[in-house]
Amino acid sequence: MKISFLIHNAYGIGGTITTTFNLAAALTERHDVEIVSVLRHREHPNLTPHPGVRLRALVDLRREKDHPLHRRPAQVFPAAEYRHHQYSELTDERIAECLADTDADVVVGTRPGLNVHLALQAPEHVARVGQEHLTLDNHPPALRTALRRAYRRLDVLTTVTEADADSYRRKMLLSGVRVEALPNSVPDPELPTADGTAKVVVAAGRLVPVKRFDLIIEAFARVVAEYPDWRLRIYGKGEEHDRLRALIESLGLWNNVFLMGAATPMEAEWVKGSIGAAASNFEPFGMTLVEAMRCGLPVVSTDCPYGPGEIIEDGEDGRLVPVGDGAAFGAALLDLVRDDERRRRMGEAAVANARRFAPGPVVAHAERLLQEAIEARNGGRRGAPGRRGMHHTLAGRGHAARDLAHAAASTALRTVRKGRR
């Protein structure tokens, strides 16, 4: 089959880009695959696509940033989507043309706004698969309302966790749309896994408030008080860098905690550690958790919505602690630091349990979903009859009504505020 992925900007950095490149690379072994990037801002992408995957862009910001149509706000891409300010009448036009001219059997959208384009503008013969890389509950009411209207024309909607798939089934009115969890995959490690002997804790991700690297640092201070020879390495870049640096200084941890900057790929850094750490308040999936586990590290993580609880088996291959609880996080780290045998045993369990996120099983699941979507579209059938929540339930109508009311109230409030200016 011919598969086309529609992505926001394949030339940047982020989890959606990584997982899209990974899946596209695996699918290209048996299929014709392309990635269509709506935006492009540089000559070469940060991540190198597989040689068998074609990459093309619709709007090149290096030359078209000042295009007259790019100065006008998008009309199709939903206004409530937080990337809306980056879209325009020019992107509306180019995406519509791309979909109208596609010869793909199936097009896969990779964010809500692009899924709306796909649902509304793809030709009838093209199977339409929308991906959700965030979560339904994380979207504002106005966006959820827009998605209810458009998503009914999708064939399949995938989420990265079972919890979010269940949320879509219960709260959205998507009769006829097949909703399934399709987790992100992490490539098979190329280096020997960690052996648990290094006195190093590793954390990685964007240095932004929701990731709570400050909590990890504060919790690690409890480790240093008892085991001053242990180190914490934090990989990533972002707006929190200077604040985290100041926190490290204020706690006197300059010899124990290091802001390492961004590293791509991270595998070589994970295997230098013995414990992974993640303290997010919110995590749609948790790619860094899987990466660490596949490299042999048990991970201490907050049990935040949605991903960690579906990735980590508490006490077996890692630890789950309450969100925002620095004392519990520090205690969990100390439990693993103190017990060499437990750390080694949990690291081995992490490797074994994380194999379900290897490309093999994830790609096989994706292939099946895409093929069945094509067959259902060609045969005039849609969705998966009888799946929980696929019909218009009273609960779904209740959620729809509340979202519509919240969206209307927000619009009215903005109107009043504008009138006062």
Side-chain angles (χ1 to χ4, degrees):
M1 59 183 145
K2 181 168 185 180
I3 305 162
S4 179
F5 289 90
L6 185 61
I7 194 169
H8 168 65
N9 188 341
Y11 294 79
I13 298 175
T16 299
I17 300 169
T18 300
T19 193
T20 299
F21 275 42
N22 289 345
L23 181 57
L27 289 170
T28 198
E29 293 183 10
R30 289 178 295 279
H31 307 285
D32 186 354
V33 184
E34 70 169 358
I35 295 175
V36 178
S37 179
V38 176
L39 302 177
R40 177 179 185 173
H41 68 290
R42 55 183 303 186
E43 181 66 23
H44 301 290
N46 281 287
L47 299 178
T48 303
H50 186 281
V53 176
R54 293 183 307 282
L55 173 63
R56 60 189 177 98
L58 302 181
V59 175
D60 192 333
L61 296 176
R62 297 172 300 171
R63 299 191 298 270
E64 299 181 292
K65 183 174 64 174
D66 296 321
H67 191 291
L69 290 181
H70 198 54
R71 295 177 177 273
R72 302 176 189 171
Q75 302 299 312
V76 180
F77 195 94
E81 229 264 41
Y82 84 97
R83 292 282 190 187
H84 180 263
H85 66 284
Q86 294 178 262
Y87 285 73
S88 63
E89 286 190 8
L90 181 62
T91 60
D92 279 355
E93 180 181 279
R94 297 282 173 82
I95 295 170
E97 291 172 351
C98 170
L99 291 171
D101 295 339
T102 187
D103 60 350
D105 299 301
V106 57
V107 177
V108 182
T110 57
R111 64 176 309 108
L114 298 180
N115 294 340
V116 169
H117 273 280
L118 176 60
L120 299 179
Q121 297 177 323
E124 283 301 314
H125 68 276
V126 174
R128 308 160 187 190
V129 176
Q131 291 183 341
E132 174 62 86
H133 289 277
L134 294 175
T135 68
L136 177 63
D137 290 344
N138 193 51
H139 297 322
L143 180 57
R144 291 197 294 262
T145 297
L147 299 185
R148 279 190 185 91
R149 293 167 179 163
Y151 276 17
R152 298 169 190 173
R153 300 183 63 179
L154 293 174
D155 296 292
V156 175
L157 176 66
T158 68
T159 63
V160 290
T161 63
E162 288 288 352
D164 197 39
D166 184 61
S167 187
Y168 267 95
R169 295 181 194 121
R170 287 185 293 106
K171 298 178 181 180
M172 301 289 275
L173 301 173
L174 301 178
S175 179
V177 180
R178 182 173 183 174
V179 181
E180 284 204 26
L182 179 69
N184 295 330
S185 70
V186 171
D188 296 322
E190 297 181 359
L191 300 174
T193 56
D195 61 10
T197 61
K199 297 179 179 181
V200 176
V201 176
V202 181
R206 291 177 297 118
L207 306 186
V208 294
V210 72
K211 299 294 186 180
R212 292 305 310 269
F213 286 104
D214 59 328
L215 187 143
I216 297 176
I217 293 169
E218 290 168 355
F220 190 71
R222 301 164 65 95
V223 174
V224 173
E226 194 170 326
Y227 294 90
D229 54 344
W230 274 73
R231 304 288 182 264
L232 168 64
R233 297 174 182 167
I234 298 174
Y235 293 86
K237 59 183 180 180
E239 64 192 69
E240 288 275 277
H241 180 276
D242 291 346
R243 191 174 81 86
L244 296 176
R245 170 59 61 197
L247 177 62
I248 293 167
E249 296 289 332
S250 70
L251 294 174
L253 297 175
W254 49 82
N255 289 326
N256 298 88
V257 180
F258 304 93
L259 300 179
M260 307 294 290
T264 303
M266 265 295 295
E267 182 183 343
E269 310 309 321
W270 289 122
V271 299
K272 296 173 185 175
S274 291
I275 303 170
S280 295
N281 290 337
F282 169 79
E283 194 67 72
F285 180 65
M287 284 284 284
T288 58
L289 277 65
V290 179
E291 289 175 357
M293 291 170 69
R294 296 216 73 197
C295 289
L297 275 63
V299 178
V300 176
S301 172
T302 46
D303 192 12
C304 64
Y306 281 78
E310 293 189 18
I311 295 171
I312 295 171
E313 186 67 34
D314 187 33
E316 181 178 331
D317 53 25
R319 291 295 311 279
L320 294 171
V321 301
V323 174
D325 192 335
F329 203 100
L333 285 174
L334 273 170
D335 283 347
L336 291 176
V337 168
R338 290 172 179 150
D339 192 334
D340 294 347
E341 176 55 28
R342 187 182 188 198
R343 190 168 67 245
R344 183 196 61 75
R345 185 175 64 251
M346 292 179 70
E348 292 176 352
V351 173
N353 293 348
R355 287 195 183 106
R356 67 190 189 277
F357 301 108
V362 174
V363 171
H365 187 186
E367 275 186 307
R368 177 175 58 81
L369 284 176
L370 297 180
Q371 188 61 53
E372 290 175 0
I374 293 169
E375 292 171 357
R377 168 73 49 176
N378 292 342
R381 308 180 313 278
R382 293 179 62 240
R387 284 188 65 87
R388 178 185 175 195
M390 300 307 287
H391 301 289
H392 290 212
T393 64
L394 290 175
R397 291 194 184 101
H399 286 291
R402 284 193 291 274
D403 284 344
L404 191 60
H406 281 300
S410 297
T411 300
L413 183 60
R414 286 196 298 271
T415 301
V416 170
R417 286 173 174 168
K418 285 182 180 178
R420 289 175 178 173
R421 290 175 183 171

